[in-house]
Amino acid sequence: MGWIEYIKRWRKAGKFQRKVIGMVIDWTVFLYLVIPVIIALAVIDYQLWQSPPAWTSFIPVHLFGLVFFYIAQFFSIRTYVEQADELFVIQKGDYYQSLLQLGKYFSVLKAMLAASILIFYFYPVFKTGYQLSIFTVLLILFYVVVWSLFRKLAARWFSLRGIIWRRRVFSVFEFMLYGIGMYGLFHHQLVFLSMMLPIFGAVVFFLKKERQPLRYFHAEAERERSEKWKWAVFLMVQSGEYEGIKKTRKYPLFNKQSQGIFSKRTPEHVLAEMYWKWHFRKGRHLKFYLYFVLFSFYALAVLPEKVQFFVLAFILFAGFKIQDGIWKSFITHPFTRNIGPINETSLVKGKRLAFLVLWLIPCGMLMIWALFV
Amino acid sequence: MNFFMDRLTIDLQKAGYSIEDPVIENISFSVKAGELVGLIGENGAGKSTTIKAILGQLPWMEGSVSVHTKGSVYGYVPERPVFYEELTVWEHIEYCGVMREIPNWEGQAKELVKTFRVEHYIHQLPHSLSKGTQQKIMIILALLPSPELLIVDEPFIGLDPRATKLLLRIIEQEREKGTGILMCTHVLDTAEKLCDKFILLSKGTMYTSGSLLDLQKKCQLPDGSLLDCFDYLIDEDPNYGLD
């Protein structure tokens, strides 16, 4: 009857994760990020069906297959074992074992689903670009599923046994082995089989019932705890609610003497300079902004000319709003609030100067690229 | 210099984070030039909220806060050091000096850095420094504009004995210069030696105020310490602690 409990815990965990995501994703995130991404992905897929991308002529299919190694990993093994199970659940060995097994079987389903969505999305590339048969595509799907499962199950096996460094070294070899197998799939079947079969055997071994599951109960509960809180911690760190564990740096990178950027030290120059320094050293906002610029560049590259103007207007507006939000978090920082009132003219001039570099130049370059290239 | 001039006048009827939930009420006092006023009270008495009200950081306030200094300039040392984690100590000092348009901020800053013996740390990021050093930097930043009013929230927490001694000396120097100082503290024995006047807050309201002598008279404890008076006044109220 372990599966009833497993489904109950699965639902409870789903509710928890939805609440976590609901804490940060509101309609503005949907409007600015999720909906444009979905639309762009749909348009890109539609275009892939219409005409094969030019890069398929010079990027070999086995190199393209390498990207699935990482992006098919978007799932985790969840057994929903909790520390409190120490009281009752682990006294019933079979019941506990069934929770673990269901966790593994669910991960097989999740791996198949994730890889299928991915392969289906890129199916036009395989079909029209590389002109592969449906059988070959299914073989790629199977290969990707087996590797995804192997990586996740092996990671769990290593983590329960507290093997960290050997696991890291092993993960480097994993990619190499995957690459060799992917190459073999198209060029040398014997190489493919010699890579595929041991990995498949390992997956079967990992999926088998564990002999002494209780020995790793605490490690399993700890692993589950970190899986449960993974997204919450990620979102809290991103939103600044929680600092996370980080290395304490003594000096800023490449500037051990607090060197200024401008020789002129007027309030507007200092304000803009401090904003840039804060922005760049913080990294988090910059990373997000760079993703935005990169995504905008891709969107302008793939979208039809008819809609480019509207997309460009949206990019300029969204870029400004993003920078404005980052600026606000800088200027409303308790340190600035504590130093007392700042001259309004300096504030406006400083903001203008700061935005010139971080908004106008990158967005302007995007605009020039869209209009003339 | 007019030593009888008020540097700060507060007359708060009600203040808090929203109109439905006032945190402090009926607080009125003033800080004169060269006067050191101690804001004392238990945890949750409303000391930090009063300071926030003075700094204009409370979303809702009924009443008035007037700062009578040149250009309404004041220096503020928060209870917990607050910095941009990504800017160095010197960048903070420069940011503060330039944005507040303090004439000769650089010379003043160098002198303060030397006085507080933090020359070796000025190019470091603040979170790599100890709590005491961070507190020293906060004091330097507060003193940078040579303010005529200094608001200090729990200044002795985290300071080593030498830094405490140095801070006491600086407070004394500032007072002699005519700076009005409002000091919020739990360290009653130090406050007793330093402060000219005390404002005792309790449950978000001004319980009593006056010099140590006034408090001793009120409590009928002629030789009582500030702590004795504080204890007496809090215990005397039969409704204290009952909500």
Side-chain angles (χ1 to χ4, degrees), chain A residues 2 89-100 209:
Chain A
V89 175
I90 63 170
Q91 290 174 26
K92 294 180 179 177
D94 289 345
Y95 190 78
Y96 177 64
Q97 183 74 266
S98 69
L99 283 182
L100 298 184
K209 277 187 181 176

Side-chain angles (χ1 to χ4, degrees), chain A residues 250 258 265 281 330 336, chain B residues 84 86 91 94 123 125:
Chain A
K250 210 168 170 183
S258 313
R265 310 307 288 168
R281 290 176 193 165
F330 171 76
T336 300
Chain B
Y84 285 104
E86 299 75 16
E91 283 162 352
E94 185 182 16
H123 296 304
L125 294 166

Side-chain angles (χ1 to χ4, degrees), chain A residues 135-196:
Chain A
F135 175 73
T136 316
V137 176
L138 286 174
L139 209 57
I140 295 170
L141 173 68
F142 181 66
Y143 186 66
V144 171
V145 169
V146 169
W147 263 99
S148 305
L149 270 172
F150 171 73
R151 288 196 73 208
K152 292 287 176 185
L153 291 164
R156 176 177 173 270
W157 192 88
F158 280 113
S159 115
L160 293 186
R161 283 152 185 82
I163 302 167
I164 298 166
W165 283 104
R166 274 176 287 171
R167 153 90 191 125
R168 284 181 189 162
V169 173
F170 181 69
S171 65
V172 176
F173 288 105
E174 278 177 340
F175 184 67
M176 285 163 62
L177 294 175
Y178 172 86
I180 293 168
M182 188 56 90
Y183 176 82
L185 199 153
F186 298 101
H187 300 97
H188 210 295
Q189 269 72 31
L190 197 67
V191 174
F192 170 68
L193 284 175
S194 58
M195 284 295 131
M196 176 70 188

Side-chain angles (χ1 to χ4, degrees), chain A residues 280-347:
Chain A
F280 279 83
R281 290 176 193 165
K282 199 168 185 69
R284 185 158 50 90
H285 297 317
L286 184 70
K287 202 164 91 180
F288 172 72
Y289 189 62
L290 285 177
Y291 275 131
F292 166 78
V293 172
L294 193 71
F295 183 74
S296 304
F297 175 76
Y298 278 123
L300 287 173
V302 297
L303 289 174
E305 264 181 42
K306 285 173 195 168
V307 295
Q308 258 187 3
F309 175 76
F310 298 103
V311 175
L312 189 63
F314 175 79
I315 290 168
L316 291 176
F317 174 72
F320 183 83
K321 291 303 276 179
I322 292 170
Q323 272 304 322
D324 201 39
I326 300 170
W327 171 264
K328 270 181 194 153
S329 62
F330 171 76
I331 212 72
T332 56
H333 188 280
F335 181 82
T336 300
R337 274 192 288 141
N338 285 345
I339 65 172
I342 295 175
N343 185 314
E344 199 58 39
T345 320
S346 310
L347 205 64

Side-chain angles (χ1 to χ4, degrees), chain A residues 243 246 248-252 255-259 265-267 270-271 273-274 277-278 281-282 330-331 333-343 346, chain B residues 55 57 71-72 74 76 78 82-96 98-101 105 120 122-128 138 141:
Chain A
E243 286 293 317
K246 58 184 179 185
T248 305
R249 193 180 279 283
K250 210 168 170 183
Y251 298 98
N255 195 350
K256 277 195 168 185
Q257 292 299 317
S258 313
Q259 290 293 331
R265 310 307 288 168
T266 60
V270 169
L271 184 61
E273 182 183 309
M274 294 306 163
K277 283 179 172 173
W278 172 82
R281 290 176 193 165
K282 199 168 185 69
F330 171 76
I331 212 72
H333 188 280
F335 181 82
T336 300
R337 274 192 288 141
N338 285 345
I339 65 172
I342 295 175
N343 185 314
S346 310
Chain B
L55 300 176
Q57 290 180 3
S72 297
Y74 58 81
Y76 170 55
V82 185
F83 295 104
Y84 285 104
E85 279 184 22
E86 299 75 16
L87 300 182
T88 64
V89 170
W90 184 253
E91 283 162 352
H92 278 92
I93 295 174
E94 185 182 16
Y95 180 59
C96 188
V98 175
M99 294 318 291
R100 292 185 83 169
E101 297 173 30
W105 68 267
H120 299 301
I122 55 167
H123 296 304
Q124 285 191 24
L125 294 166
H127 61 261
S128 68
M138 278 280 118
L141 288 165

